[in-house]
Amino acid sequence: MLTDLHSKRILDLACGTGRWLETLMRQGGEFGVGIDCSIAMLRVAAKKSCITGRLARGTCDNLPFRAGVFDLAICSFALGHVEDLRSTVFELARVTKPQADIFVSDLHPEAYARGWRVGFRDHRAALEIDTLPREPEEIARAFCANGFESLANMALCLGEPEKPIFARAGKEELFAEACQSPAILVCHFKRGSERSTQSSASRSLSREAIQ
């Protein structure tokens, strides 16, 4: 889905170690920047030559960019770690241009209900990260309230490319069963015109004031 990146100005929200930003820049993005709150993650990302100097430390709900900068934004496996979803989406609406595309991916709530979690593993232990599982409808409401149109909402299952992950974890016998249910949620939103975005944001703020 991430095609035609020529002349696109790209934001990688919660970029982590910069894997996605590196990929998109190598695929022709005109300009890209990644933001993350983790110094350790950014330190790893800075070692990738094509994104060195394109990284900033900050939080998703207070982006250090002026308004109307980006044509494309991605947020991969991070919304579950964001406590204030509405403020994050409001900031995305502020820093993106009219007609900008936003792609969001996260652990599917059905996978979370089956006990799946996100985390890290090294030679010492496996660490689980606290997350706030969100239904697709909640995510869509937050974006639509800020002037975005929902273009796609996909529940994706695992496939052969993920099989080695199970093998490395010593759980290959669980792979076939794991492929039967949604594992990843992917959403595609498009920002509306400047007028419609401002109108939606005003309505959203008004509802908050009333509540």
Side-chain angles (χ1 to χ4, degrees):
M1 297 175 71
L2 293 168
T3 59
D4 189 23
L5 300 179
H6 180 68
S7 77
K8 294 291 179 65
R9 299 174 68 85
I10 301 166
L11 171 63
D12 187 351
L13 190 65
C15 65
T17 59
R19 180 181 64 174
W20 271 109
L21 183 59
E22 179 185 37
T23 298
L24 297 178
M25 294 308 298
R26 293 192 185 281
Q27 289 182 357
E30 175 186 331
F31 173 81
V33 62
I35 184 169
D36 203 283
C37 63
S38 168
I39 295 177
M41 289 278 198
L42 293 173
R43 189 177 296 122
V44 175
K47 296 178 181 178
K48 297 176 168 66
S49 59
C50 69
I51 61 174
T52 299
R54 300 177 181 272
L55 303 164
R57 190 185 184 203
T59 60
C60 296
D61 58 359
N62 187 22
L63 298 176
F65 308 112
R66 61 180 173 83
V69 175
F70 300 101
D71 305 288
L72 170 69
I74 65 170
C75 184
S76 176
F77 280 79
L79 283 190
H81 308 307
V82 172
E83 185 173 355
D84 191 344
L85 177 61
R86 288 184 295 181
S87 293
T88 294
V89 178
F90 181 85
E91 280 290 273
L92 273 173
R94 181 183 65 80
V95 302
T96 52
K97 299 177 182 179
Q99 300 303 303
D101 290 292
I102 313 293
F103 291 92
V104 175
S105 65
D106 216 333
L107 188 68
H108 196 282
E110 287 191 31
Y112 193 92
R114 295 198 308 274
W116 292 27
R117 298 294 184 270
V118 294
F120 296 93
R121 180 186 299 273
D122 61 15
H123 64 282
R124 293 170 295 182
L127 301 176
E128 181 182 312
I129 303 174
D130 288 337
T131 55
L132 299 168
R134 290 190 167 94
E135 294 295 329
E137 294 78 13
E138 179 186 359
I139 298 172
R141 282 197 302 269
F143 275 89
C144 292
N146 283 280
F148 290 94
E149 178 187 0
S150 179
L151 298 185
N153 185 321
M154 297 173 289
L156 305 182
C157 297
L158 301 180
E160 285 301 314
E162 287 75 47
K163 191 172 184 178
I165 300 174
F166 283 73
R168 288 194 298 269
K171 298 181 179 181
E172 196 166 4
E173 73 281 0
L174 302 177
F175 177 70
E177 180 182 353
C179 292
Q180 302 305 309
S181 301
I184 299 170
L185 172 67
V186 176
C187 303
H188 177 196
F189 300 100
K190 182 174 284 289
R191 187 175 180 270
S193 65
E194 191 68 38
R195 179 176 299 177
S196 65
T197 300
Q198 291 175 349
S199 176
S200 296
S202 297
R203 289 195 299 271
S204 179
L205 291 172
S206 297
R207 285 194 295 270
E208 289 186 25
I210 293 172
Q211 292 170 354

